[in-house]
Amino acid sequence: MEKELKDIRAYHLKVIEDKLIELITHKNRILAAQSEEIGEFKKSFDEFKPLTQVIQKTTRECLQEFQSKLDEADRQAIQQFHQQQDQLEYHANRLNQQQSQMQMIQELFEQQTKQRFQIAEMQKAKERMLNELQQTKEELEQKKFLKQQLMNNFKLSQQQQIQLQQELKDTEHQKRYWNNLLQEAKGNIRVYCRIRPNSQEDMLLLNGECTLVLRVPERFLKSTNCQKESSFNFEHIFNQEADQQEIYNELSDLVQNVVDGHNVCIFAYGQTGSGKTYTMQGDDYNKGVIPRAVEQIFQERQGMLELGWQTSIRVGFQEIYNEQSRDLITNQKCDEVKLLDVKDIFEVAEHFNTAKKNRQVAETLSNEVSSRSHFIFQLNLQGHLGDKQINSTLNLIDLAGSERANVAKTEGDRFTETKAINKSLSALGDVFNALYTKQQHVPFRNSKLTFSLYKYMEGSSKTLMMVNISSRSEDFQQTLASLRFAEKVKSCQIKK
Ligand code: ADP
Ligand code: MG
């Protein structure tokens, strides 16, 4: 066995050794072939070496040329790049500009849209207006037609108006005629009595509108030689409650006489404080006879103007103190006051204020001139229409206080004043008496007062004596004196 194994191993070793030899031989063959190839390659390399150098050189030159071209291209590219950048900037600017233009255009467009909307609205409004215009045109046509109709009617009514105007003139004429007749019936002189308010005493009692009973207070019974009660009758007696309107209602027909062409005198008589000035002038809230008469005459004048009268109104303000006459507008002594033209009642009021101021100035110089002087307001109305003419004067007189009965008890300035007042008031009574009993001689020259008023008291003139009395028992004697004076005046018309 062991020999077998030795043989096997020796066999395998022989095989491996053969294989190794075979491999080494093969390797050597390959190496020999390789070195042969290398030798050939080296040989061909050496052959190609100069060519390679030429190629190398050419390649380098080409590379250089290529490099310079590349640089040139680079430079141009950079230049182009800058140019393009500039252009880009330029375009960017343009773009911005265009953008803002676009914005403007956008705004314009919006505005235009709004305007278009407005135009559309206006168009609608225009259409509406055109419609309205059309309507108005149609209405105008209708109105033209109506106007034509009215014109025709107007022509007719104009004729009627002329007829009516004629009738109105006739009525006016009749009104004057009846008013005058009424005055004549009432007498050319009337006596009214007004009792001053604010008295609880029963010295005066009214019996109807025309009769007044005076009860003599106990303490005066012995000193006066009259009965316990005496009654007086006048055309009208106003009690304490009567207001200014009530008074005026009863004398406005007299003022109407002025417009009818008659002279009128309205006197306020009575002791100081009995309400003469209140009756004549009143206050701001209770206008008296003067402002109401002025208003009435201006109103009547308007009616005259409408009937075609040409008219003028003049006023004057006079004061008679101590037998001297003074114009209260010029504030100068005068024989006759200067009458001033007036357009309306406001001008009269202005002159009245001047007169009042001038009277007040005099008052500060001498005490209470107003109660010791006579105040005369004159309003003259002139007018003509065709052959008709009027020239009449309204005299409203606020007389001096009638209380100065006893001259013997006064002295100095008071004596002169009292004498002057007594003289003028009794002259007034005498003139009434002479006038209304148709005496030949009228003693109007006896006092400045009667001298100033005479021409307005004679003829067809109308006179009203408003006697203001107090019902306080302490004023009994003055009230009695006033009532007696009033009675005397009233008796003139009975004697007629
Ligand atoms: P006279 O002018 O007679 O001296 P007044 O008119 O000045 O008297 O009146 C004296 C005062 O009595 C005034 O304050 C006046 O306002 C007032 N008075 C007179 N009468 C009335 C009346 N009827 N109603 C209201 N107040 C009157
Ligand atoms: Mg007075």
Side-chain angles (χ1 to χ4, degrees):
M1 219 9 222
E2 201 174 317
K3 194 183 157 267
E4 268 177 73
L5 277 170
K6 257 185 184 178
D7 288 344
I8 294 168
R9 199 172 70 187
Y11 173 72
H12 280 291
L13 274 173
K14 182 69 180 139
V15 172
I16 289 168
E17 199 178 14
D18 289 347
K19 269 289 171 189
L20 257 170
I21 292 165
E22 194 183 335
L23 273 171
I24 289 166
T25 318
H26 189 68
K27 181 194 158 193
N28 285 342
R29 255 197 318 260
I30 286 170
L31 276 174
Q34 274 181 348
S35 72
E36 201 178 322
E37 266 176 42
I38 286 168
E40 268 175 37
F41 182 74
K42 205 174 168 191
K43 197 174 141 199
S44 31
F45 184 76
D46 287 339
E47 274 172 22
F48 280 105
K49 200 171 180 181
L51 189 66
T52 312
Q53 276 171 348
V54 171
I55 288 168
Q56 259 179 350
K57 190 185 166 209
T58 316
T59 309
R60 212 177 299 125
E61 280 170 7
C62 277
L63 266 173
Q64 271 173 357
E65 197 185 338
F66 183 67
Q67 185 67 39
S68 63
K69 277 188 181 166
L70 213 62
D71 286 349
E72 177 62 16
D74 243 14
R75 199 182 52 75
Q76 280 181 1
I78 287 171
Q79 203 176 357
Q80 271 183 4
F81 174 73
H82 282 305
Q83 277 176 359
Q84 279 172 355
Q85 221 172 13
D86 288 349
Q87 276 183 358
L88 215 63
E89 245 171 77
Y90 168 77
H91 287 300
N93 283 342
R94 282 288 306 270
L95 205 69
N96 279 345
Q97 281 175 3
Q98 280 171 356
Q99 236 167 2
S100 51
Q101 276 177 356
M102 276 288 285
Q103 219 165 321
M104 271 165 62
I105 289 168
Q106 184 83 20
E107 281 167 14
L108 270 172
F109 180 73
E110 276 167 19
Q111 274 182 11
Q112 274 179 356
T113 314
K114 266 189 210 164
Q115 280 173 355
R116 231 172 281 142
F117 179 72
Q118 283 173 352
I119 288 169
E121 288 287 302
M122 279 161 81
Q123 196 78 24
K124 277 185 209 160
K126 187 185 150 193
E127 271 163 32
R128 274 202 304 273
M129 278 163 81
L130 276 173
N131 281 342
E132 280 170 22
L133 198 72
Q134 189 56 35
Q135 276 182 7
T136 318
K137 263 188 195 166
E138 284 164 17
E139 279 170 22
L140 205 71
E141 283 303 317
Q142 279 180 358
K143 278 185 182 154
K144 263 188 198 163
F145 179 69
L146 272 174
K147 188 184 155 197
Q148 192 55 44
Q149 276 188 337
L150 280 171
M151 286 286 276
N152 294 343
N153 290 347
F154 180 67
K155 272 182 200 151
L156 259 174
S157 69
Q158 241 176 349
Q159 286 162 358
Q160 284 171 347
Q161 204 187 343
I162 293 170
Q163 211 177 327
L164 278 172
Q165 207 127 18
Q166 190 51 47
E167 280 171 25
L168 194 70
K169 275 182 192 167
D170 294 347
T171 320
E172 195 71 16
H173 191 73
Q174 280 183 0
K175 194 175 125 195
R176 280 163 200 239
Y177 174 77
W178 286 111
N179 195 40
N180 200 37
L181 268 188
L182 181 78
Q183 296 315 308
E184 305 235 300
K186 283 191 175 181
N188 278 356
I189 179 156
R190 273 188 239 176
V191 181
Y192 288 172
C193 178
R194 183 180 195 179
I195 304 168
R196 191 199 178 294
N198 293 339
S199 167
Q200 302 300 320
E201 298 179 48
D202 56 1
M203 183 174 81
L204 292 170
L205 276 182
L206 258 181
N207 188 359
E209 276 186 347
C210 303
T211 307
L212 175 78
V213 178
L214 173 72
R215 285 185 178 153
V216 183
E218 285 295 323
R219 60 194 159 120
F220 291 108
L221 261 178
K222 277 188 195 141
S223 54
T224 44
N225 49 1
C226 57
Q227 294 160 356
K228 204 167 179 210
E229 283 188 355
S230 0
S231 72
F232 297 87
N233 283 301
F234 303 113
E235 268 80 15
H236 204 106
I237 301 164
F238 300 97
N239 67 18
Q240 306 190 17
E241 282 82 42
D243 63 14
Q244 304 283 63
Q245 183 64 51
E246 214 176 313
I247 309 286
Y248 195 73
N249 288 346
E250 286 300 319
L251 53 80
S252 65
D253 59 327
L254 264 180
V255 177
Q256 178 62 41
N257 268 283
V258 179
V259 185
D260 297 344
H262 301 279
N263 291 321
V264 172
C265 291
I266 300 177
F267 292 91
Y269 182 97
Q271 72 176 107
T272 300
S274 60
K276 297 183 296 296
T277 306
Y278 182 82
T279 299
M280 285 313 212
Q281 293 177 26
D283 55 38
D284 290 346
Y285 305 102
N286 306 283
K287 285 184 282 181
V289 174
I290 298 178
R292 284 171 198 265
V294 169
E295 275 170 28
Q296 186 183 338
I297 288 179
F298 270 92
Q299 259 174 26
E300 291 290 339
R301 197 267 290 259
Q302 191 53 40
M304 289 172 81
L305 292 177
E306 279 159 23
L307 285 175
W309 282 80
Q310 299 261 307
T311 60
S312 70
I313 296 181
R314 296 177 304 149
V315 292
F317 303 84
Q318 184 183 4
E319 183 178 61
I320 298 170
Y321 175 67
N322 274 350
E323 285 303 291
Q324 273 181 345
S325 165
R326 204 156 58 94
D327 186 322
L328 284 172
I329 296 296
T330 60
N331 210 10
Q332 303 285 321
K333 282 181 185 158
C334 66
D335 282 331
E336 219 173 297
V337 285
K338 192 172 172 292
L339 295 176
L340 307 156
D341 269 305
V342 279
K343 285 196 303 290
D344 49 37
I345 56 170
F346 305 106
E347 261 189 283
V348 180
E350 260 174 48
H351 291 314
F352 207 151
N353 283 338
T354 311
K356 273 191 208 160
K357 265 186 218 143
N358 285 335
R359 222 175 168 206
Q360 272 162 13
V361 171
E363 233 158 61
T364 53
L365 302 174
S366 160
N367 280 338
E368 296 168 36
V369 167
S370 65
S371 68
R372 285 168 215 176
S373 63
H374 309 295
F375 169 77
I376 304 169
F377 167 73
Q378 276 187 349
L379 184 150
N380 171 256
L381 171 71
Q382 290 185 18
H384 65 89
L385 174 68
D387 55 352
K388 279 184 251 172
Q389 276 203 341
I390 53 165
N391 181 4
S392 44
T393 305
L394 169 69
N395 297 273
L396 301 173
I397 308 114
D398 186 353
L399 290 169
S402 60
E403 62 276 10
R404 327 256 167 225
N406 199 343
V407 180
K409 282 186 184 166
T410 57
E411 49 185 45
D413 287 348
R414 280 292 161 90
F415 177 75
T416 323
E417 279 174 5
T418 310
K419 234 174 80 176
I421 295 166
N422 280 351
K423 184 180 162 187
S424 54
L425 291 181
S426 61
L428 185 64
D430 295 343
V431 167
F432 283 144
N433 192 38
L435 277 177
Y436 298 112
T437 54
K438 306 242 187 288
Q439 287 177 20
Q440 286 225 314
H441 175 69
V442 181
F444 65 90
R445 287 179 185 278
N446 283 357
S447 79
K448 201 83 188 171
L449 178 71
T450 48
F451 186 73
S452 297
L453 293 172
Y454 174 65
K455 62 177 171 187
Y456 306 115
M457 289 164 72
E458 60 170 1
S460 68
S461 303
K462 322 281 172 192
T463 301
L464 167 68
M465 178 62 69
M466 173 71 81
V467 180
N468 296 77
I469 52 173
S470 155
S471 57
R472 292 192 311 180
S473 59
E474 63 203 84
D475 290 327
F476 165 75
Q477 279 174 316
Q478 296 307 333
T479 299
L480 179 64
S482 292
L483 287 171
R484 280 181 174 162
F485 177 85
E487 204 170 37
K488 201 172 142 200
V489 174
K490 194 182 151 255
S491 67
C492 297
Q493 49 173 268
I494 297 165
K495 286 185 211 158
K496 190 170 147 185

